[in-house]
Structures are given as C-alpha cells and as structure tokens.
Amino acid sequence: MHRLNAWLRRHPMVVDAAWASIVLFLGLLPNSDYADSGWRLDSEILVAVLLPLLMVFRRRFPDVTVSAATGVALAQVTADIEPGGSAIAYLVFAYTGAAFGQKWTSRLALAAGLSAGPLVFWQMNPLKTTVQAGEAHTRPYNLAEAVLIMVLMSTPFILCWAWGRLTRVRRAYLTELEDRAARLERERDAQAKVAVAAERARIARELHDVVAHNVSVMIVQADGAAYVLDNSPQQAKEALGTIASTGRQALVEMRRLLGVLRTADTAEEYVPQPGVEELPELLEQVRTAGLQVDYATSGHPRELPRGVELTVYRIVQEALTNVRKHGGPDVHARVAVDFGERELAVLVEDDGRGSTDEQLAAGGADGLGHGLIGMRERVGMVSGSLDVGPRPGGGFRIRAVLPLKAAH
C-alpha cells in the first residue's frame, strides 16, 4: 500500500483520470426531461465529455482548465442546458483553482463559486407551488426565499474553494519545513567543515610547536656532542642521551596529536596535553640545551581550564624556541607567570638581539608559517590579548594576558 500510494503521488493524472471516468459515467446517464430535443441532447453530451476531459489535466494545467471550466459553465447557463451529473466537476475546479492555480485563478474560482447559486437560480427560474381549496397554484419565490436558495446553492462551491485554500497553505507549510530542514542540514555540514578545518589548524600549530622545540634541542645537543666527542666522551654520551630522550618525547606528543584523527575508542591511549605544571620540565630541557632561563611565579597558583593550560605551555615553548633560533650567542631568557584574580599573565623576555621590523610585519612566520601568528590564534581562542615587540634595553619581549574566573 505504501508503494502504491507513493506511485500515485508521482502520477496524479492517473488519479484524476479515475475520478474523471466516474464523472463521465454520471454525465452520460439519460435525462428523460429532454430526450425529445436533439440539440439539447448533443449539448449535454458535449458538456458531459468536456468536463471530465478537463479534470484529467487539472493539476498539470490548473489555470487553463479552471478558466475553460468557467467558460463551459457560462455557456451552459447561457444556452439553458440543464445541469446533469457532470456538474459535480465544477466543485472539483473550485478546489483546483484555490489549491493549485495562481492568485488570479484562485480569485476566478471564488468569484465563479459565489456566482454559481444566483446563475443556476436564474436559469431554473423556480416557482413555488402551493395548494389552496384543492387547487395547485404557483407563485414566484419572495426575496428572502430566493436569497436563501442562492446561498445554499453556492455553499458547496465556497466550501470546496476553502478546502483547496487550506490544502495550498498546508502544502506551502510543508514545503517551508522541507526547505528549512535542507537549510539546517547544509548549515550543519558547513559547520562540520569549519570544525574540521579548525581542528586541522590546531593540529598544525601543535605539531609546529612540538617539532620546532624538540628538533632545535636535538640539533644543539648533536652539535655539542660532535664538538666534545674526541676530548670528552662522557659529555658526548650525555648529549646523545638527551637527544634520545628528546626524540622520544617528541614522538609521544606527535602520537597524541595524530591520535585525534583516529577513532574515539583509542583516545585513552594518549597522554594528556601539557599545562603549567609541566613548565619546569620544559625549562629544564631548555637549560640542558644550553639556554639560560630564569623562572618565577606569583599570585596564587590554582587549577586552570585545559585550554588555558595548553595555551600557556605552547606560548612559553614557542617563545623559548624563538630565543634559541634568533637570540644569538650567550642569550639569557626569563619566564614569569602571574596568577591574578581575574587574569593570568605570561611574560617571556630575553636580552638577545631581538627581532627586525620585517619579521614582526610578517607575523613571526618561519618556514612553516606558524610563529607569532600561532600564538595570536591560541590567545584569541581563550579571549586573551598578546603583546609582542622589542624589549627596552635590547632583546625581545612576549606578554600574554588570559582571562580567568575569579578565585573563590
């Protein structure tokens, strides 16, 4: 039944043809009142055939069929052709004009429905028959009775027109719901694509920070090991051990980052993201690579949101990597973290040779395109602010302010 219903919805002319055949049968039933009039009989047959034929195409060409049916009705009234069984088709066209036609077609169907009662009443010119003293007398209907009869005759047409109007409104409502659902689905797909792009950008920033930091440490240790290999094998051995541990740490972090691209059931295999508590380990690793770094905290340390924790760690990591790459020889750096009531301030500064205006204009972009730009994106994600530039007295200075909830 479901398949049959769906097939009939796709082929409305089949349904209309079935109803039209019933109307044709009713219209061809013999009418004994005019059996002796040949032209009337031919006209009735023509109307009985023409109206069902228009019904077949009413949904494909609603404006044309409603207009043609209105013309047939006017011709039938003008030629004084008595309505037969096919007159039920006029109710169908009243519905069709309101449900499927344009605005002018709907108005035409409404006007024809309102005029149907008066026109038929005028065509039939009925007389009221009364019986007085055993004799039958006829007299015209009075005004009230005539109006009542015309209203009753027009009521079925008005009801069919109202039904068609209701169908049209309901169909428009369903179409709007379908359009809204399709629009929401498109918006959902667009948001999913934006989320994927944002996640890829986040992974790119994470990989840049991990690779740039750890590889720079490994390069420094490798150069040092090569330099002292002949004279101090023990120091070379320690440098090689640092290279190995740094490489393993880089692999662990890269494995964690790339793990977000796998299924959710493997997410627990990867270590948590680093935060403020891991800063001493990061600074110790930097010191091992030969960079002098001082570290200080102030305020009341407390648990922070994971997004803020990771932002602080990556800012410090990226800043110290830039110090090693651009600070020059014998550079000294300082890291300070201040836990305020409503904000967290992170300061990384050095006394090296600083940065050129061209480098600042490029956003700190290095070969991978992720430098100070990545810092700004990270700070922006937590609604913070970032201030970068030359340090008074020489060197470079990075200061980030991240908003926090007030401490209880």
Side-chain angles (χ1 to χ4, degrees), residues 74 77 108-122 150 153-154 157-158:
L74 293 176
V77 173
L108 176 63
L110 177 60
L114 292 173
S115 305
L119 290 176
V120 174
F121 183 83
W122 172 76
M150 287 186 290
M153 288 182 176
S154 296
F157 296 93
I158 303 306

PDB file of all heavy atoms in Angstrom, residues 74 77 108-122 150 153-154 157-158:
ATOM      1  N   LEU A  74     -20.490  29.122 -18.001  1.00  0.00           N
ATOM      2  CA  LEU A  74     -21.223  30.283 -18.527  1.00  0.00           C
ATOM      3  C   LEU A  74     -21.989  29.928 -19.800  1.00  0.00           C
ATOM      4  O   LEU A  74     -23.140  30.364 -20.003  1.00  0.00           O
ATOM      5  CB  LEU A  74     -20.246  31.428 -18.788  1.00  0.00           C
ATOM      6  CG  LEU A  74     -19.591  32.057 -17.552  1.00  0.00           C
ATOM      7  CD1 LEU A  74     -18.574  33.111 -17.969  1.00  0.00           C
ATOM      8  CD2 LEU A  74     -20.657  32.666 -16.637  1.00  0.00           C
ATOM      9  N   VAL A  77     -25.077  27.928 -18.876  1.00  0.00           N
ATOM     10  CA  VAL A  77     -26.161  28.770 -18.354  1.00  0.00           C
ATOM     11  C   VAL A  77     -26.790  29.584 -19.480  1.00  0.00           C
ATOM     12  O   VAL A  77     -28.022  29.718 -19.568  1.00  0.00           O
ATOM     13  CB  VAL A  77     -25.619  29.682 -17.237  1.00  0.00           C
ATOM     14  CG1 VAL A  77     -26.689  30.693 -16.804  1.00  0.00           C
ATOM     15  CG2 VAL A  77     -25.175  28.856 -16.045  1.00  0.00           C
ATOM     16  N   LEU A 108     -10.660  33.805  -9.523  1.00  0.00           N
ATOM     17  CA  LEU A 108     -11.671  33.429 -10.523  1.00  0.00           C
ATOM     18  C   LEU A 108     -12.535  32.290  -9.999  1.00  0.00           C
ATOM     19  O   LEU A 108     -13.778  32.305 -10.146  1.00  0.00           O
ATOM     20  CB  LEU A 108     -10.990  33.036 -11.824  1.00  0.00           C
ATOM     21  CG  LEU A 108     -11.911  32.518 -12.943  1.00  0.00           C
ATOM     22  CD1 LEU A 108     -12.897  33.604 -13.371  1.00  0.00           C
ATOM     23  CD2 LEU A 108     -11.089  32.041 -14.142  1.00  0.00           C
ATOM     24  N   ALA A 109     -11.914  31.286  -9.384  1.00  0.00           N
ATOM     25  CA  ALA A 109     -12.678  30.168  -8.834  1.00  0.00           C
ATOM     26  C   ALA A 109     -13.601  30.630  -7.719  1.00  0.00           C
ATOM     27  O   ALA A 109     -14.759  30.167  -7.612  1.00  0.00           O
ATOM     28  CB  ALA A 109     -11.713  29.096  -8.318  1.00  0.00           C
ATOM     29  N   LEU A 110     -13.144  31.568  -6.874  1.00  0.00           N
ATOM     30  CA  LEU A 110     -14.000  32.086  -5.806  1.00  0.00           C
ATOM     31  C   LEU A 110     -15.179  32.874  -6.373  1.00  0.00           C
ATOM     32  O   LEU A 110     -16.333  32.699  -5.930  1.00  0.00           O
ATOM     33  CB  LEU A 110     -13.168  32.967  -4.876  1.00  0.00           C
ATOM     34  CG  LEU A 110     -13.922  33.644  -3.731  1.00  0.00           C
ATOM     35  CD1 LEU A 110     -14.567  32.611  -2.814  1.00  0.00           C
ATOM     36  CD2 LEU A 110     -12.997  34.567  -2.943  1.00  0.00           C
ATOM     37  N   ALA A 111     -14.903  33.726  -7.367  1.00  0.00           N
ATOM     38  CA  ALA A 111     -15.990  34.501  -7.976  1.00  0.00           C
ATOM     39  C   ALA A 111     -16.995  33.582  -8.669  1.00  0.00           C
ATOM     40  O   ALA A 111     -18.225  33.798  -8.581  1.00  0.00           O
ATOM     41  CB  ALA A 111     -15.411  35.500  -8.971  1.00  0.00           C
ATOM     42  N   ALA A 112     -16.495  32.542  -9.351  1.00  0.00           N
ATOM     43  CA  ALA A 112     -17.413  31.601 -10.012  1.00  0.00           C
ATOM     44  C   ALA A 112     -18.245  30.847  -8.987  1.00  0.00           C
ATOM     45  O   ALA A 112     -19.447  30.596  -9.213  1.00  0.00           O
ATOM     46  CB  ALA A 112     -16.609  30.625 -10.866  1.00  0.00           C
ATOM     47  N   GLY A 113     -17.641  30.469  -7.862  1.00  0.00           N
ATOM     48  CA  GLY A 113     -18.396  29.768  -6.829  1.00  0.00           C
ATOM     49  C   GLY A 113     -19.468  30.643  -6.214  1.00  0.00           C
ATOM     50  O   GLY A 113     -20.596  30.181  -5.953  1.00  0.00           O
ATOM     51  N   LEU A 114     -19.153  31.937  -5.983  1.00  0.00           N
ATOM     52  CA  LEU A 114     -20.165  32.856  -5.443  1.00  0.00           C
ATOM     53  C   LEU A 114     -21.296  33.109  -6.447  1.00  0.00           C
ATOM     54  O   LEU A 114     -22.456  33.314  -6.058  1.00  0.00           O
ATOM     55  CB  LEU A 114     -19.494  34.175  -5.058  1.00  0.00           C
ATOM     56  CG  LEU A 114     -18.526  34.130  -3.871  1.00  0.00           C
ATOM     57  CD1 LEU A 114     -17.809  35.456  -3.714  1.00  0.00           C
ATOM     58  CD2 LEU A 114     -19.272  33.770  -2.586  1.00  0.00           C
ATOM     59  N   SER A 115     -20.951  33.080  -7.737  1.00  0.00           N
ATOM     60  CA  SER A 115     -21.962  33.342  -8.778  1.00  0.00           C
ATOM     61  C   SER A 115     -22.748  32.104  -9.158  1.00  0.00           C
ATOM     62  O   SER A 115     -23.782  32.229  -9.866  1.00  0.00           O
ATOM     63  CB  SER A 115     -21.280  33.909 -10.026  1.00  0.00           C
ATOM     64  OG  SER A 115     -20.518  35.062  -9.716  1.00  0.00           O
ATOM     65  N   ALA A 116     -22.308  30.936  -8.737  1.00  0.00           N
ATOM     66  CA  ALA A 116     -22.968  29.699  -9.166  1.00  0.00           C
ATOM     67  C   ALA A 116     -24.418  29.659  -8.698  1.00  0.00           C
ATOM     68  O   ALA A 116     -25.329  29.326  -9.479  1.00  0.00           O
ATOM     69  CB  ALA A 116     -22.202  28.490  -8.636  1.00  0.00           C
ATOM     70  N   GLY A 117     -24.641  29.990  -7.431  1.00  0.00           N
ATOM     71  CA  GLY A 117     -26.011  29.948  -6.907  1.00  0.00           C
ATOM     72  C   GLY A 117     -26.955  30.883  -7.628  1.00  0.00           C
ATOM     73  O   GLY A 117     -28.018  30.449  -8.131  1.00  0.00           O
ATOM     74  N   PRO A 118     -26.638  32.185  -7.744  1.00  0.00           N
ATOM     75  CA  PRO A 118     -27.550  33.091  -8.472  1.00  0.00           C
ATOM     76  C   PRO A 118     -27.754  32.705  -9.935  1.00  0.00           C
ATOM     77  O   PRO A 118     -28.875  32.819 -10.454  1.00  0.00           O
ATOM     78  CB  PRO A 118     -26.836  34.447  -8.350  1.00  0.00           C
ATOM     79  CG  PRO A 118     -26.031  34.340  -7.101  1.00  0.00           C
ATOM     80  CD  PRO A 118     -25.569  32.920  -7.051  1.00  0.00           C
ATOM     81  N   LEU A 119     -26.669  32.252 -10.616  1.00  0.00           N
ATOM     82  CA  LEU A 119     -26.832  31.899 -12.033  1.00  0.00           C
ATOM     83  C   LEU A 119     -27.734  30.688 -12.224  1.00  0.00           C
ATOM     84  O   LEU A 119     -28.600  30.663 -13.108  1.00  0.00           O
ATOM     85  CB  LEU A 119     -25.466  31.641 -12.654  1.00  0.00           C
ATOM     86  CG  LEU A 119     -24.569  32.872 -12.843  1.00  0.00           C
ATOM     87  CD1 LEU A 119     -23.203  32.473 -13.378  1.00  0.00           C
ATOM     88  CD2 LEU A 119     -25.231  33.878 -13.781  1.00  0.00           C
ATOM     89  N   VAL A 120     -27.539  29.663 -11.394  1.00  0.00           N
ATOM     90  CA  VAL A 120     -28.384  28.475 -11.522  1.00  0.00           C
ATOM     91  C   VAL A 120     -29.820  28.801 -11.146  1.00  0.00           C
ATOM     92  O   VAL A 120     -30.781  28.325 -11.768  1.00  0.00           O
ATOM     93  CB  VAL A 120     -27.816  27.341 -10.645  1.00  0.00           C
ATOM     94  CG1 VAL A 120     -28.771  26.139 -10.638  1.00  0.00           C
ATOM     95  CG2 VAL A 120     -26.451  26.913 -11.159  1.00  0.00           C
ATOM     96  N   PHE A 121     -29.967  29.627 -10.100  1.00  0.00           N
ATOM     97  CA  PHE A 121     -31.330  30.025  -9.716  1.00  0.00           C
ATOM     98  C   PHE A 121     -32.002  30.801 -10.845  1.00  0.00           C
ATOM     99  O   PHE A 121     -33.188  30.604 -11.139  1.00  0.00           O
ATOM    100  CB  PHE A 121     -31.248  30.891  -8.448  1.00  0.00           C
ATOM    101  CG  PHE A 121     -32.586  31.304  -7.925  1.00  0.00           C
ATOM    102  CD1 PHE A 121     -33.323  30.456  -7.107  1.00  0.00           C
ATOM    103  CD2 PHE A 121     -33.128  32.548  -8.242  1.00  0.00           C
ATOM    104  CE1 PHE A 121     -34.565  30.840  -6.620  1.00  0.00           C
ATOM    105  CE2 PHE A 121     -34.375  32.924  -7.774  1.00  0.00           C
ATOM    106  CZ  PHE A 121     -35.091  32.073  -6.961  1.00  0.00           C
ATOM    107  N   TRP A 122     -31.256  31.686 -11.493  1.00  0.00           N
ATOM    108  CA  TRP A 122     -31.843  32.435 -12.617  1.00  0.00           C
ATOM    109  C   TRP A 122     -32.151  31.520 -13.793  1.00  0.00           C
ATOM    110  O   TRP A 122     -33.148  31.708 -14.490  1.00  0.00           O
ATOM    111  CB  TRP A 122     -30.851  33.513 -13.039  1.00  0.00           C
ATOM    112  CG  TRP A 122     -31.235  34.216 -14.297  1.00  0.00           C
ATOM    113  CD1 TRP A 122     -32.195  35.167 -14.464  1.00  0.00           C
ATOM    114  CD2 TRP A 122     -30.675  33.992 -15.591  1.00  0.00           C
ATOM    115  NE1 TRP A 122     -32.282  35.567 -15.768  1.00  0.00           N
ATOM    116  CE2 TRP A 122     -31.345  34.851 -16.505  1.00  0.00           C
ATOM    117  CE3 TRP A 122     -29.670  33.159 -16.090  1.00  0.00           C
ATOM    118  CZ2 TRP A 122     -31.040  34.903 -17.855  1.00  0.00           C
ATOM    119  CZ3 TRP A 122     -29.378  33.218 -17.430  1.00  0.00           C
ATOM    120  CH2 TRP A 122     -30.048  34.072 -18.307  1.00  0.00           C
ATOM    121  N   MET A 150     -30.183  30.703  -3.192  1.00  0.00           N
ATOM    122  CA  MET A 150     -28.929  31.011  -3.875  1.00  0.00           C
ATOM    123  C   MET A 150     -27.721  30.762  -2.964  1.00  0.00           C
ATOM    124  O   MET A 150     -26.681  30.262  -3.412  1.00  0.00           O
ATOM    125  CB  MET A 150     -28.947  32.470  -4.350  1.00  0.00           C
ATOM    126  CG  MET A 150     -29.877  32.704  -5.545  1.00  0.00           C
ATOM    127  SD  MET A 150     -29.773  34.384  -6.222  1.00  0.00           S
ATOM    128  CE  MET A 150     -30.551  35.324  -4.896  1.00  0.00           C
ATOM    129  N   MET A 153     -27.139  27.073  -2.767  1.00  0.00           N
ATOM    130  CA  MET A 153     -26.545  26.553  -3.995  1.00  0.00           C
ATOM    131  C   MET A 153     -25.063  26.911  -4.099  1.00  0.00           C
ATOM    132  O   MET A 153     -24.262  26.146  -4.660  1.00  0.00           O
ATOM    133  CB  MET A 153     -27.299  27.100  -5.211  1.00  0.00           C
ATOM    134  CG  MET A 153     -28.680  26.515  -5.414  1.00  0.00           C
ATOM    135  SD  MET A 153     -29.481  27.168  -6.892  1.00  0.00           S
ATOM    136  CE  MET A 153     -31.010  26.219  -6.910  1.00  0.00           C
ATOM    137  N   SER A 154     -24.677  28.075  -3.591  1.00  0.00           N
ATOM    138  CA  SER A 154     -23.268  28.499  -3.674  1.00  0.00           C
ATOM    139  C   SER A 154     -22.402  27.901  -2.570  1.00  0.00           C
ATOM    140  O   SER A 154     -21.166  27.861  -2.711  1.00  0.00           O
ATOM    141  CB  SER A 154     -23.178  30.035  -3.604  1.00  0.00           C
ATOM    142  OG  SER A 154     -23.801  30.629  -4.714  1.00  0.00           O
ATOM    143  N   PHE A 157     -19.727  25.178  -3.417  1.00  0.00           N
ATOM    144  CA  PHE A 157     -18.580  25.711  -4.162  1.00  0.00           C
ATOM    145  C   PHE A 157     -17.624  26.472  -3.230  1.00  0.00           C
ATOM    146  O   PHE A 157     -16.404  26.348  -3.351  1.00  0.00           O
ATOM    147  CB  PHE A 157     -19.074  26.633  -5.278  1.00  0.00           C
ATOM    148  CG  PHE A 157     -19.884  25.937  -6.330  1.00  0.00           C
ATOM    149  CD1 PHE A 157     -21.273  25.873  -6.246  1.00  0.00           C
ATOM    150  CD2 PHE A 157     -19.263  25.333  -7.417  1.00  0.00           C
ATOM    151  CE1 PHE A 157     -22.015  25.226  -7.213  1.00  0.00           C
ATOM    152  CE2 PHE A 157     -20.008  24.687  -8.393  1.00  0.00           C
ATOM    153  CZ  PHE A 157     -21.383  24.625  -8.284  1.00  0.00           C
ATOM    154  N   ILE A 158     -18.203  27.245  -2.316  1.00  0.00           N
ATOM    155  CA  ILE A 158     -17.363  28.010  -1.377  1.00  0.00           C
ATOM    156  C   ILE A 158     -16.601  27.052  -0.462  1.00  0.00           C
ATOM    157  O   ILE A 158     -15.415  27.272  -0.144  1.00  0.00           O
ATOM    158  CB  ILE A 158     -18.217  28.993  -0.574  1.00  0.00           C
ATOM    159  CG1 ILE A 158     -18.970  29.928  -1.517  1.00  0.00           C
ATOM    160  CG2 ILE A 158     -17.345  29.792   0.376  1.00  0.00           C
ATOM    161  CD1 ILE A 158     -18.093  30.660  -2.498  1.00  0.00           C
TER     162      ILE A 158
END
